[in-house]
Amino acid sequence: MNTRDIVYIALFASLMAILGLFPPFTMPFTGAPITVQSAGAMLAGALLGARCGALSVVLFLVLVALGLPLLAGGQGGFGVFLGPTGGFLLGWAVSAFVIGYLIDKFQDYLNGLSVVAIIAFGGIVVLYGLGNAWVAVAVDISYWQATVASVPFMIGDALKVFAVTGLTLAVRRTYPEGLRA
Amino acid sequence: MNLASGLYQDRASPLHRLPAGLKVLALVALGTAVFVIPDWQILLAILAAVMVLYGVARFSPQILWAQIRPLLWLLVVFFAVQLWLNDWQAGLVVVTRLAIVVLFAALVTLTTRVSVMLEALERAMQPLRFMGVNPEKIGLAFSLVLRFIPVIATVSHDVREAQNARGLNRNMLALTVPLIIRTLKMADDVADAIEARSYDSE
C-alpha cells in the first residue's frame, strides 16, 4: 500500500461524509428515505477497486463509530452499528469490495449493461443479503419477513444503482488517468 | 456539523473521566449480555439502569430522548410485528434489547471525545503491527479525512454554485461528476505533496 492508495482511501472516505450532507429524498407512498450516502459505497468500489474501495468505506465507518456525526441526518456513534440497520453499514464495505472486484475482473467488458449488473449485484443482492440477516437477528423475525420489509428501500437503491452506473461511466470517460480500478 | 467535537457533550461527571477503552469494553460486554438474556423483566431493569447512567453523566432527559427518537418508529414497528407473530412479552424483549444497546452506545459516544477515542484506537492497534498492519499509515489516513472533509465540502459548494448559474442545480449527475473528478485530481496532488516531503509509506 503506497502513499497514493492511502490518500485515495482517505479522500473517498471524506467524500462519503460530504454525500451525507446532501438532503435525503423521501420516497412517495412508502416514506423510505433515500440518501446519496449509500451510493458512496458503490462508487468507492467502482472507482477505487476492491481493496481501496472497501478500506475507504471501513475508514469512514470507523470515524462514524468514534463519534463523528457523519451519517446522513447527522447520526453517528457506536449506537448506529448496534441498532437494527447496523448490518447495512457493515454491508457497505462488503458491497464496495464485491463491486470493485467485479469491475476489475470484467474491465474489458464494461458497458452500461454490465456495470448496472455488477453494481446491482454488489449494491443490492450482497448488501441486502447481509443487512436483512442482521435485521432478522436483531428483531427476532424470520429472514423472509426481513426481506419483505426491506422492499421499499430496495426501490430507492435500484434508483441509486442507475445513478452510480451513470457516474462511474462518466468519470471513467472524463478522467481515466485518475482511476485505481 | 462541528467536526472537532463530534457528538461529544462536555460535562463534569465520573463517566466522562473513565478511560475510553474501558467504556468500549463495557459496551461490548453489555451488548453480548442483552442478547443472551431472554427475560423482559431483567432487560427492563437494565434499561432503567442505563437511563440512570444518563443522570450520572449529568445529561438532561432531552438528551436521552434525542438518542432514542430517531429509532422510535422502528421500535414501534418491531413491537407490532412481535405482537402479531408471538406475544407482547416477546415484543418487549426485542424493543428493550435494542433500546438498551443504542442508549448505552450513545452514552459512550456522548461522554468520550473523538480525539480520546482515536488515541485509544491507535493504542489498541499496536499489537496488530506483527500482522503487517502499520498504525502510522492508519493514523495518516484518519488525519487526512478529518482535514479533507471541510475541503471537499467547499468544493461541493463551489460545484453547486457553478451548476446553479447554468440552471443545472437539480441535475444530480451535473452536481456529483465534477465533485468526484475534482476529488480524484486533488488526491493525486496530495499524494505528490506528501511524497515530496519524503514521507515513507513502507
Side-chain angles (χ1 to χ4, degrees):
Chain A
M1 177 146 308
N2 57 36
T3 311
R4 205 156 287 259
D5 288 334
I6 298 175
V7 174
Y8 270 94
I9 290 168
L11 280 182
F12 255 75
S14 323
L15 189 67
M16 276 193 81
I18 296 304
L19 290 178
L21 298 179
F22 282 66
F25 165 83
T26 310
M27 290 275 296
F29 308 117
T30 59
I34 298 178
T35 71
V36 204
Q37 201 158 40
S38 56
M42 304 178 188
L43 258 182
L47 296 176
L48 297 190
R51 206 170 60 128
C52 289
L55 283 176
S56 77
V57 178
V58 169
L59 178 60
F60 169 77
L61 293 177
V62 171
L63 284 166
V64 170
L66 292 181
L68 292 176
L70 299 180
L71 288 179
Q75 283 198 285
F78 282 106
V80 293
F81 290 92
L82 299 167
T85 51
F88 287 96
L89 297 180
L90 301 179
W92 283 352
V94 182
S95 88
F97 187 90
V98 171
I99 290 171
Y101 177 82
L102 291 174
I103 292 264
D104 186 45
K105 188 134 181 112
F106 296 103
Q107 56 177 322
D108 298 332
Y109 309 97
L110 291 184
N111 53 42
L113 203 65
S114 65
V115 174
V116 164
I118 288 171
I119 294 178
F121 178 73
I124 294 183
V125 179
V126 172
L127 181 67
Y128 280 84
L130 290 167
N132 287 337
W134 190 293
V135 171
V137 172
V139 193
D140 211 1
I141 55 179
S142 79
Y143 192 78
W144 171 241
Q145 286 158 340
T147 306
V148 171
S150 68
V151 167
F153 294 92
M154 279 186 201
I155 301 168
D157 277 292
L159 294 176
K160 273 179 251 172
V161 168
F162 289 107
V164 171
T165 304
L167 275 174
T168 306
L169 293 171
V171 172
R172 290 184 82 92
R173 211 171 33 239
T174 11
Y175 192 55
E177 64 274 28
L179 296 174
R180 304 269 95 192
Chain B
M1 180 171 67
N2 187 348
L3 261 184
S5 58
L7 298 166
Y8 175 76
Q9 300 254 355
D10 201 19
R11 298 283 190 285
S13 91
L15 285 179
H16 285 71
R17 287 191 292 271
L18 279 179
L22 195 68
K23 283 186 263 192
V24 174
L25 283 181
L27 175 62
V28 172
L30 186 74
T32 319
V34 295
F35 273 91
V36 292
I37 298 173
D39 188 302
W40 63 272
Q41 281 148 324
I42 301 177
L43 287 173
L44 271 184
I46 298 176
L47 181 62
V50 172
M51 286 178 167
V52 169
L53 284 180
Y54 271 76
V56 174
R58 298 177 189 237
F59 289 136
S60 61
Q62 283 94 325
I63 292 186
L64 177 76
W65 174 239
Q67 308 311 313
I68 205 76
R69 200 183 44 207
L71 208 68
L72 208 59
W73 68 270
L74 272 179
L75 291 182
V76 172
V77 170
F78 293 156
F79 188 76
V81 168
Q82 287 298 331
L83 201 59
W84 176 50
L85 294 172
N86 299 305
D87 49 19
W88 63 269
Q89 285 96 335
L92 214 52
V93 166
V94 165
V95 170
T96 33
R97 214 176 244 171
L98 284 174
I100 290 169
V101 172
V102 168
L103 281 179
F104 193 78
L107 189 63
V108 173
T109 304
L110 288 167
T111 58
T112 319
R113 282 178 203 280
V114 174
S115 55
V116 174
M117 207 74 106
L118 206 54
E119 278 166 29
L121 183 75
E122 271 170 23
R123 262 201 312 280
M125 278 188 313
Q126 290 300 331
L128 295 177
R129 197 182 279 279
F130 301 104
M131 288 163 57
V133 177
N134 185 340
E136 280 83 36
K137 279 191 200 177
I138 298 172
L140 172 68
F142 276 116
S143 1
L144 279 176
V145 179
L146 296 181
R147 178 67 192 88
F148 277 104
I149 289 175
V151 176
I152 297 183
T154 314
V155 174
S156 166
H157 179 77
D158 292 349
V159 169
R160 213 178 275 226
E161 276 193 340
Q163 302 296 40
N164 221 345
R166 301 184 180 104
L168 290 173
N169 52 328
R170 313 282 302 164
N171 185 333
M172 217 56 202
L173 220 53
L175 290 173
T176 32
V177 171
L179 175 62
I180 290 164
I181 291 179
R182 284 178 68 171
T183 305
L184 288 171
K185 284 202 164 132
M186 195 156 62
D188 287 331
D189 294 343
V190 171
D192 288 342
I194 292 174
E195 273 169 354
R197 283 158 185 78
S198 308
Y199 176 80
D200 184 13
S201 70
E202 298 313 316

